[in-house]
């Protein structure tokens, strides 16, 4: 069987198309590129037709259409996604979205080193960068390895990258001084010379090339996704936007805001809890609770189908929550944040996510238990709108074989729409 994938990449000023064909005998990739700003919409389809004509192939012979999903320029992302969807609808074939920063990682000319953390920093303009991190792990595909996402794309100020890397390095095994633990690459290294100077010479860190994503790399990553069954229907394809907004609105400026919205210190991402998170979760639980759940307790919760999520920051698990969704109420079973991640809004983010999941299921209220002696937690939940509902006698184990009561707290959800932390 021959697989033929057309790839489109327009997340930067580089407008590129690539045609990948794989048969039993060989794999071939042919590409066309044009580097210019604001010309993607007029150039992309003619470049597609030109490339297909050069290879003697018609559109009807395509197996799938791939596109660089972003993050990147708004207009370029919309152009590539729209063209991919239009062609796929017309040809009745699937679409393969490929994160553009993953395509940069795939372009790295350095030897593949299992465990090495590849951190991609792309110029997002306005003194900001898009950052994502990937790790090479053993895989089942022909190449023998796969790219494991460690940090989903986020937006940071260029001055924040160094601190992000320090935070990420703290969660990695120590470097032996010869082989780096982290490799940084991407065109932000060229766009912001001060960033490169800041990173050069740091222990355990290697500086790679100032690469941008290109269509050939998108095509190669799309082939991996195709074999992994990750192609989607055209209507499900969408660009990956990271920047919430490019500038303040007129009303916001009138109210005193100026310039561009600031990037947060770091962005926390929420992920469904999986088996590979359990060691981190159990470690956090041990560090913050006097009578902690065991790793087996969390594993049992996952097996029972409870709603469970982890908060990830700079590639590290910083908090978690587990919730039981009963027919009439949602019950927060356990929620915790690592000591080094506290007072950053992570607990509020996790709790708000549980509440939104409960609303989505049509549940009217959320309940939880708190020790009366845990004054900080009581104040936190009161601030989030929880009220004391009842007391449960001798609910918690306590020191010296004694027991402690539990404050049962409840928050009505039905009339609260769209609340966030």
């Amino acid at each position: 069987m021959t697989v033929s994938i057309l790839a489109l990449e327009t997340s930067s000023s580089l407008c590129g198309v690539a045609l990948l064909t794989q048969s039993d005998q060989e794999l071939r990739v042919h590409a066309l590129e044009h580097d210019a700003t604001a010309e993607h919409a007029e150039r992309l389809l003619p470049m597609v037709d030109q490339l297909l004509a050069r290879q003697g192939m018609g559109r009807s012979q395509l197996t799938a259409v791939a596109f660089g999903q972003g993050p990147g320029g708004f207009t370029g992302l919309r152009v590539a996604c729209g063209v991919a969807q239009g062609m796929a609808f017309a040809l009745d074939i699937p679409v393969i979205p490929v994160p553009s920063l993953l395509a940069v990682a795939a372009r790295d000319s350095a030897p593949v080193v299992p465990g090495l953390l590849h951190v991609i920093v792309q110029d997002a303009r306005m003194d900001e960068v898009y950052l994502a991190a990937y790790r090479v792990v053993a895989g089942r595909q022909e190449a023998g390895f796969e790219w494991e996402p460690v940090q989903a794309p986020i937006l940071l100020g260029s001055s924040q990258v160094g601190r992000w890397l320090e935070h990420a390095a703290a969660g990695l095994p120590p470097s032996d001084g010869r082989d780096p633990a982290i490799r940084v690459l991407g065109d932000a290294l060229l766009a912001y010379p001060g960033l490169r100077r800041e990173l050069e010479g740091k222990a355990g860190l290697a500086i790679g090339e100032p690469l941008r994503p290109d269509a050939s790399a998108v095509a190669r990553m799309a082939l991996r996704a195709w074999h992994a069954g990750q192609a989607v229907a055209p209507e499900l394809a969408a660009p990956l936007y990271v920047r919430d907004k490019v500038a303040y609105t007129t009303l916001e400026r009138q109210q005193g805001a100026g310039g561009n919205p600031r990037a947060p210190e770091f962005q926390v991402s929420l992920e469904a809890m999986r088996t590979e998170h359990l060691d981190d979760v159990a470690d956090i639980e041990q560090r913050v609770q006097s009578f902690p759940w065991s790793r087996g307790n969390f594993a049992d919760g996952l097996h029972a189908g409870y709603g469970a999520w982890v908060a990830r920051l700079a590639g590290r698990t910083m908090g978690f929550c587990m919730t039981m969704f009963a027919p009439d109420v949602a019950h927060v079973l356990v929620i915790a944040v690592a000591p080094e991640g506290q007072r950053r809004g992570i607990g509020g983010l996790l709790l708000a996510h549980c509440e939104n999941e409960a609303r989505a299921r049509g549940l009217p209220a959320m309940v939880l238990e708190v020790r009366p002696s845990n004054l900080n937690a009581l104040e936190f939940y009161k601030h989030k709108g929880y009220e004391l509902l009842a007391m449960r006698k001798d609910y918690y184990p306590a020191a010296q074989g004694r027991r402690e009561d539990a404050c049962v707290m409840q928050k009505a959800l039905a009339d609260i729409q769209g609340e966030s932390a």
Side-chain angles (χ1 to χ4, degrees):
M1 174 186 176
T2 298
V3 177
S4 300
I5 298 175
L6 178 72
L8 317 173
E9 169 51 43
T10 57
S11 64
S12 67
S13 63
L14 188 65
C15 179
V17 298
L19 177 64
L20 178 149
T21 57
Q22 183 189 49
S23 63
D24 294 337
Q25 290 75 34
E26 60 181 341
L27 185 149
R28 294 186 295 176
V29 180
H30 301 277
L32 287 176
E33 293 180 344
H34 178 77
D35 197 349
T37 303
E39 296 183 10
H40 297 339
E42 62 187 78
R43 288 187 175 273
L44 190 60
L45 274 173
M47 289 172 65
V48 168
D49 292 335
Q50 183 182 357
L51 180 61
L52 291 176
R54 283 186 181 181
Q55 303 307 315
M57 180 177 289
R59 294 187 183 185
S60 61
Q61 295 173 264
L62 295 174
T63 306
V65 183
F67 72 100
Q69 188 181 24
F74 289 112
T75 301
L77 297 182
R78 289 196 296 268
V79 168
C81 182
V83 170
Q85 286 179 306
M87 293 184 66
F89 272 123
L91 299 171
D92 193 24
I93 57 176
V95 173
I96 307 175
V98 174
S100 298
L101 301 189
L102 177 57
V104 175
R107 288 194 64 197
D108 192 1
S109 60
V112 172
V113 178
L116 179 65
L117 187 66
H118 290 70
V119 177
I120 315 304
V121 286
Q122 289 296 107
D123 181 17
R125 302 185 183 277
M126 298 185 289
D127 201 28
E128 292 176 336
V129 305
Y130 299 118
L131 181 148
Y134 304 92
R135 180 184 291 115
V136 173
V137 296
R140 294 187 296 271
Q141 300 196 23
E142 292 180 6
F145 68 90
E146 296 176 1
W147 291 96
E148 176 188 59
V150 175
Q151 172 65 66
I154 57 174
L155 180 72
L156 294 177
S158 63
S159 63
Q160 297 172 310
V161 174
R163 293 195 298 278
W164 188 98
L165 290 168
E166 291 173 1
H167 197 90
L172 296 175
S175 171
D176 62 6
R178 294 172 299 173
D179 297 324
I182 299 176
R183 180 172 171 82
V184 182
L185 60 155
D187 70 353
L189 295 171
L190 185 63
Y192 303 111
L195 171 60
R196 186 181 188 108
R197 288 194 297 270
E198 178 189 357
L199 301 183
E200 286 177 339
K202 282 186 176 291
L205 189 69
I207 304 296
E209 300 172 83
L211 300 173
R212 290 185 291 176
D214 65 13
S216 295
V218 170
R220 293 179 186 276
M221 297 311 299
L223 180 64
R224 286 175 167 269
W226 169 263
H227 286 302
Q230 295 169 353
V232 301
E235 65 271 18
L236 299 180
L240 175 59
Y241 296 127
V242 174
R243 192 193 299 276
D244 291 329
K245 60 199 307 181
V246 177
Y248 287 111
T249 64
T250 300
L251 178 60
E252 287 169 329
R253 289 195 298 271
Q254 290 173 349
Q255 293 172 343
N260 296 302
R262 290 186 62 192
E265 179 63 14
F266 296 121
Q267 290 189 10
V268 177
S269 61
L270 296 185
E271 303 176 13
M273 188 186 296
R274 302 186 299 275
T275 302
E276 54 263 37
H277 295 134
L278 292 181
D279 288 341
D280 290 344
V281 167
D283 175 68
I284 293 172
E285 176 77 352
Q286 288 281 344
R287 288 192 285 149
V288 300
Q289 299 291 352
S290 300
F291 297 88
W293 279 30
S294 68
R295 186 185 188 282
N297 293 146
F298 289 108
D300 290 343
L302 286 183
H303 183 71
Y306 295 154
W309 297 271
V310 294
R312 301 273 289 173
L313 177 65
R316 298 174 61 192
T317 301
M318 300 299 291
F320 62 86
C321 59
M322 184 169 281
T323 302
M324 179 177 66
F325 298 106
D328 57 342
V329 70
H331 186 178
V332 179
L333 301 174
V334 60
I335 183 169
V337 177
E340 64 271 22
Q342 293 175 5
R343 301 190 181 280
R344 297 189 184 187
I346 296 175
L349 187 66
L350 286 163
L351 186 62
H353 185 76
C354 293
E355 292 170 1
N356 289 332
E357 288 289 329
R359 291 190 189 95
R361 291 165 169 80
L363 298 176
M366 178 83 76
V367 298
L368 49 84
E369 292 86 19
V370 188
R371 291 177 184 266
S373 59
N374 193 344
L375 299 180
N376 289 337
L378 284 171
E379 186 62 29
F380 169 77
Y381 289 121
K382 288 178 182 178
H383 179 70
K384 295 299 181 181
Y386 286 78
E387 298 178 346
L388 181 64
L389 180 65
M391 297 294 292
R392 287 184 177 164
K393 189 71 174 173
D394 296 335
Y395 183 78
Y396 289 111
Q400 299 177 344
R402 290 180 285 192
R403 307 290 297 182
E404 183 176 2
D405 296 344
C407 298
V408 182
M409 305 188 76
Q410 177 175 287
K411 179 177 180 177
L413 302 176
D415 298 329
I416 304 173
Q417 301 297 324
E419 182 179 317
S420 61

